Amino acid sequence: MVEKAGSGVRPQKRKDRECGSGMAPRAVTVTCRCFSLNELLVIAAVLCLLSTILLPVLTRVRATMITTICKDSISQLTNANLKYSLDNDNRLCPGKIGRNLRWFGVRNGSGSFEFDFTKGPLGTYVRNNDSFRMCPALKKMLPKEKYPYDTGTRGYGYNLKVGSLRAMTAFNWDNWEKSCEELGFYKNKIKNPSRTVMFTDAATLVDKTGNINIAGKVAEYGFCHSYDFYNRGHPAWGIPIPSIHFRHGNNAVISWVNGSVSVEKMNYSMGEWGKSLLGFFGPENSSLFDPL
């Protein structure tokens, strides 16, 4: 058929390949190149080098994050105590109000070892009880099987010399502790608030019977001991078992009465306790703990 000019009919294009034409598909060759042994060794060496460089950095970053969390928690605790003093005639929170009531909470009875911090004297003053967490470094050290000992401190210990009136009470054998521990010290009478300890990282070692023992396991402890535990006018009872816990790379987080927070290195310990990161910092006396 001859197309006439101007007819408007377009010629149909011829299809070179149609389905079912019987033409065989062409074979496609795929070339797969594998790594040689030398190349694999080079890659392995590079990965090892990167891990050698990055792992210490990541470890330091993680340790810094843990210390930061701990500093935030102990700062909340310190500020809570300062707020407590504003509502209680300028007295800081007492450390041992009774057998079942401590600065770190309330327990149901003498047979219980679980203290509820939220119901304690500082519970209502903490900004957010959910964010006031146990120190992650201590949490990692605590055994799954807990021995019978007080819990609820979140890993921090209180300086009883500011959490009592020991510095102002004459010593006697009968009722000295009871007479001076139910009230905290006067904040405005502390001689040097910026160099007087309030809270520290704290822990102890406890055996299955619930007694403090160098051969025991790590447990919470609610008080930080100075090099000389008791204050003026006491008998010479010697150096107490250390309870400041230097779990942040041989450092402990410390809060001071003026509200500041610092990180201090362990200077000395007593016997084998230092191997468990328990010891003292500062001078070998009680000058950083005494309020007067």
Side-chain angles (χ1 to χ4, degrees), residues 1-279:
M1 172 179 168
V2 180
E3 180 184 357
K4 296 181 179 180
S7 63
V9 179
R10 295 183 180 180
Q12 293 183 353
K13 293 182 179 180
R14 181 175 175 273
K15 295 182 180 180
D16 293 331
R17 294 180 183 179
E18 296 182 4
C19 295
S21 62
M23 296 177 64
R26 294 181 181 180
V28 179
T29 303
V30 179
T31 303
C32 181
R33 184 179 179 279
C34 298
F35 289 105
S36 67
L37 179 59
N38 288 336
E39 289 173 328
L40 290 174
L41 290 174
V42 170
I43 292 172
V46 171
L47 291 176
C48 288
L49 180 61
L50 288 174
S51 64
T52 303
I53 296 172
L54 293 177
L55 281 178
V57 175
L58 293 174
T59 301
R60 287 195 296 271
V61 170
R62 183 175 182 275
T64 301
M65 290 176 61
I66 289 175
T67 304
T68 301
I69 292 172
C70 187
K71 289 171 71 174
D72 179 68
S73 292
I74 207 169
S75 179
Q76 287 190 56
L77 197 56
T78 303
N79 290 330
N81 201 6
L82 295 176
K83 292 176 183 177
Y84 175 94
S85 68
L86 296 176
D87 292 339
N88 290 274
D89 194 26
N90 217 30
R91 294 179 186 269
L92 295 171
C93 175
K96 296 180 179 179
I97 305 167
R99 187 171 181 81
N100 299 321
L101 178 58
R102 305 286 173 87
W103 72 264
F104 51 89
V106 180
R107 63 179 174 181
N108 294 329
S110 57
S112 171
F113 299 98
E114 298 284 342
F115 281 80
D116 186 348
F117 179 83
T118 60
K119 297 180 180 179
L122 296 181
T124 57
Y125 293 95
V126 170
R127 182 176 73 243
N128 185 349
N129 275 298
D130 293 331
S131 65
F132 175 50
R133 296 175 287 176
M134 174 178 284
C135 174
L138 178 63
K139 188 175 181 179
K140 187 177 179 181
M141 297 178 182
L142 292 175
K144 293 182 179 179
E145 179 190 359
K146 293 184 179 180
Y147 290 162
Y149 208 75
D150 297 346
T151 62
T153 69
R154 313 286 175 93
Y156 307 107
Y158 190 27
N159 175 15
L160 265 180
K161 292 182 179 180
V162 300
S164 70
L165 297 179
R166 288 180 172 183
M168 303 176 66
T169 307
F171 176 81
N172 65 77
W173 287 105
D174 297 325
N175 63 349
W176 177 63
E177 289 192 358
K178 179 175 174 51
S179 64
C180 67
E181 289 185 344
E182 294 182 354
L183 294 172
F185 202 83
Y186 294 96
K187 184 184 67 175
N188 60 337
K189 292 185 178 181
I190 294 176
K191 184 177 180 180
N192 190 355
S194 65
R195 297 303 294 166
T196 304
V197 171
M198 184 180 288
F199 290 99
T200 74
D201 283 330
T204 192
L205 302 177
V206 176
D207 60 23
K208 290 184 177 180
T209 62
N211 294 316
I212 295 177
N213 190 325
I214 185 63
K217 295 182 178 180
V218 177
E220 295 179 53
Y221 190 75
F223 303 97
C224 53
H225 295 173
S226 65
Y227 188 77
D228 178 10
F229 186 64
Y230 293 97
N231 214 303
R232 300 168 181 79
H234 68 81
W237 289 338
I239 302 171
I241 294 173
S243 63
I244 303 174
H245 200 203
F246 296 83
R247 51 183 174 252
H248 300 282
N250 207 39
N251 294 304
V253 177
I254 313 294
S255 76
W256 307 86
V257 172
N258 70 336
S260 63
V261 175
S262 66
V263 177
E264 306 291 338
K265 185 174 289 294
M266 179 166 64
N267 293 345
Y268 45 90
S269 186
M270 186 177 70
E272 297 293 311
W273 293 93
K275 294 181 179 180
S276 298
L277 306 177
L278 295 165

